[in-house]
Amino acid sequence: MARTLNVGMIGYKFMGRAHSNAWLKVDKFFDLKARPVMKVICGRDKSSVASACIRWGWDQFVTDWRDVVNDPTIHIIDINTPNDSHAEIAIAAAKAGKAILCEKPLALDVKQAQAMVAAVKKAGVVNMVCHNYRRIPALVLAKRMIEGGDLGTLYHYRARYAQDWIVDPNFPLGWRLQGKFAGSGALGDIGAHIIDLGRYLIGEFTEVCGQMETFIKERPLPGDSNKKGKVTVDDAVTFIGRFQNGALANLEATRFALGRKNGIQLEINGSKGSLVFDFEDMNRLKYYNGADFADRRGFRDILVTENQHTYAANWWPPGHILGYEHTFVHTVADFLNAVADKRSVPPTFEDGLANQIVMAAVEKSAKTKKWVKV
Ligand SMILES: NC(=O)c1ccc[n+]([C@@H]2O[C@H](COP(=O)([O-])OP(=O)(O)OC[C@H]3O[C@@H](n4cnc5c(N)ncnc54)[C@H](O)[C@@H]3O)[C@@H](O)[C@H]2O)c1
């Protein structure tokens, strides 16, 4: 019988729902080294957190995150709050000896991320950043193919993360549009994911050259639509760059691409072949093999649901497709095993810091209009 680990989760909205669902499902579908117990959920609004607690089957709720972090019965702290509170909560959790799963981006800036890495290292606690897209079976296959040499020498990593939810200038000035809560805009919110996928699939960035834009400079305040406040983050960012292995990078993150809801499109080209991935068709990986007979060449469409594919066998028979929520179940499955083994698995806080360093270089480049070393 696997041991149990008590989970304390902070934040109950978008990611709180995605993570609650993952904690709830994970041991039903995966044979784990340790099973989670959904012990306590935390949010500041008492009635909302109480209803989230009942809906998702958490044992109890609290309204101050310190009560979760200081609870000696809790083994895992799961941080789903806006970016400005990640560092304070994670550092306190590390000091209390808890394993930590933290949402991305790891922190507001490089300095905070460094302090978080130092804290988890000093405490020797298992840590992970929730870059859930790494755990899509199609992208696990892409990594296996790249590492196995199927693409040969890597030439290009093209990645676009496009949404459209703030095109309306009357969309209110929520926390994601304010630098003091978010750190950055499209860059940290969604660009961080395709930077992480670049590091996962291709390697380390060495230099970048970027541009950032805030199209709508002022927006109505959330509590009072007659008043406006300043938008202090980027609405969109594009950058080119280089990887250590010589491949070229071309990335774009925007929340101003009308019609694009959660579009993540990747294309990787190498000397022997190419891969194409589109999150809105996430069960498929397209593969072009340059060694095919000339009259048969074309992109092959791989439905990544066979039992051989990582995570796929834990779910349904081939062709019974997976969705967004499964990526979080895969993330917590690997995290629980890591906690049981007392050994972190990527992406760790060090990966979160490396990501933050790339983002800071992009910001500096956009500001100075120059190439910046990472
Ligand atoms: N992995 C992904 O794909 C993904 C997707 C969306 C958001 N995120 C990240 O998840 C985090 C949360 O984003 P979200 O979309 O769920 O935001 P949200 O606004 O929907 O929810 C934030 C939650 O944090 C709670 N909260 C805020 N400050 C708190 C505090 N001091 N103490 C306790 N609770 C507090 C709020 O009450 C709310 O429940 C962010 O870091 C975001 O970047 C990741």
Side-chain angles (χ1 to χ4, degrees):
M1 185 75 174
R3 62 180 279 220
T4 55
L5 293 167
N6 295 333
V7 182
M9 193 186 82
I10 303 160
Y12 56 82
K13 283 200 185 154
F14 179 18
M15 279 307 105
R17 292 172 69 229
H19 287 226
S20 292
N21 177 63
W23 294 119
L24 197 62
K25 299 266 175 70
V26 68
D27 71 320
K28 315 290 186 289
F29 289 91
F30 287 78
D31 293 323
L32 302 163
K33 293 177 184 171
R35 291 192 301 114
V37 178
M38 295 169 69
K39 211 70 187 170
V40 51
I41 180 171
C42 171
R44 292 163 305 175
D45 182 87
K46 196 170 175 183
S47 71
S48 305
V49 72
S51 61
C53 177
I54 293 165
R55 176 182 286 256
W56 290 103
W58 291 88
D59 279 2
Q60 50 180 292
F61 69 86
V62 293
T63 53
D64 187 338
W65 62 263
R66 289 165 195 85
D67 293 337
V68 190
V69 166
N70 296 325
D71 181 340
T73 67
I74 295 294
H75 303 107
I76 290 172
I77 298 292
D78 179 12
I79 304 171
N80 297 284
T81 55
N83 312 343
D84 62 315
S85 50
H86 292 181
E88 189 185 9
I89 299 172
I91 290 169
K95 281 187 182 148
K98 317 292 188 194
I100 310 163
L101 176 62
C102 183
E103 263 304 340
K104 53 44 60 181
L106 186 59
L108 284 184
D109 52 35
V110 171
K111 203 170 156 213
Q112 279 193 350
Q114 283 167 332
M116 292 166 83
V117 168
V120 292
K121 274 191 167 169
K122 187 170 178 204
V125 294
V126 170
N127 55 90
M128 193 187 210
V129 190
C130 188
H131 279 296
N132 49 304
Y133 296 112
R134 277 194 188 206
R135 287 175 162 81
I136 294 170
L139 292 182
V140 177
L141 173 62
K143 183 169 175 66
R144 198 159 61 237
M145 291 176 72
I146 290 168
E147 284 181 350
D150 289 321
L151 265 63
T153 305
L154 298 176
Y155 295 140
H156 292 288
Y157 172 69
R158 293 191 197 84
R160 177 165 80 140
Y161 199 149
Q163 301 181 334
D164 71 357
W165 57 278
I166 52 171
V167 169
D168 180 355
N170 289 320
F171 189 93
L173 189 73
W175 71 261
R176 279 185 165 82
L177 292 154
Q178 299 178 59
K180 63 183 174 185
F181 300 121
S184 61
L187 176 63
D189 196 25
I190 52 181
H193 276 306
I194 50 176
I195 291 171
D196 182 67
L197 291 174
R199 293 187 58 253
Y200 172 64
L201 294 168
I202 312 292
E204 295 300 338
F205 288 85
T206 55
E207 54 182 343
V208 294
C209 181
Q211 54 178 343
M212 300 168 86
E213 187 54 63
T214 304
F215 301 116
I216 308 291
K217 316 276 188 224
E218 287 192 328
R219 288 179 179 272
L221 299 181
D224 182 355
S225 57
N226 293 320
K227 286 196 183 136
K228 285 197 168 184
K230 200 168 171 227
V231 176
T232 48
V233 298
D234 53 294
D235 284 335
V237 55
T238 64
F239 70 94
I240 54 173
R242 286 178 183 275
F243 290 95
Q244 234 160 40
N245 59 12
L248 301 183
N250 194 335
L251 287 83
E252 176 185 16
T254 178
R255 305 186 285 202
F256 274 71
L258 259 183
R260 298 290 173 194
K261 303 302 169 184
N262 198 47
I264 306 174
Q265 284 117 10
L266 309 181
E267 180 164 325
I268 301 159
N269 312 113
S271 57
K272 292 187 181 171
S274 295
L275 293 174
V276 171
F277 172 79
D278 182 346
F279 178 70
E280 289 173 351
D281 197 6
M282 65 169 266
N283 291 271
R284 293 177 190 278
L285 184 67
K286 297 213 162 63
Y287 168 48
Y288 182 96
N289 182 356
D292 281 347
F293 286 118
D295 66 346
R296 314 287 151 85
R297 276 186 207 147
F299 276 94
R300 192 179 299 176
D301 190 338
I302 307 170
L303 186 62
V304 192
T305 56
E306 300 291 333
N307 287 348
Q308 293 85 340
H309 295 300
T310 308
Y311 308 118
N314 290 83
W315 295 100
W316 314 114
H320 297 63
I321 60 177
L322 304 187
Y324 180 61
E325 71 273 25
H326 296 89
T327 66
F328 293 93
V329 182
H330 304 164
T331 301
V332 302
D334 289 345
F335 179 71
L336 284 161
N337 285 334
V339 177
D341 288 341
K342 297 191 170 50
R343 214 178 55 207
S344 296
V345 292
T348 63
F349 278 21
E350 287 195 78
D351 290 299
L353 169 60
N355 195 315
Q356 208 86 45
I357 289 170
V358 177
M359 292 197 290
V362 172
E363 282 178 320
K364 189 174 171 191
S365 165
K367 218 172 173 176
T368 58
K369 298 187 191 294
K370 290 201 168 86
W371 278 86
V372 174
K373 296 262 181 239
V374 174

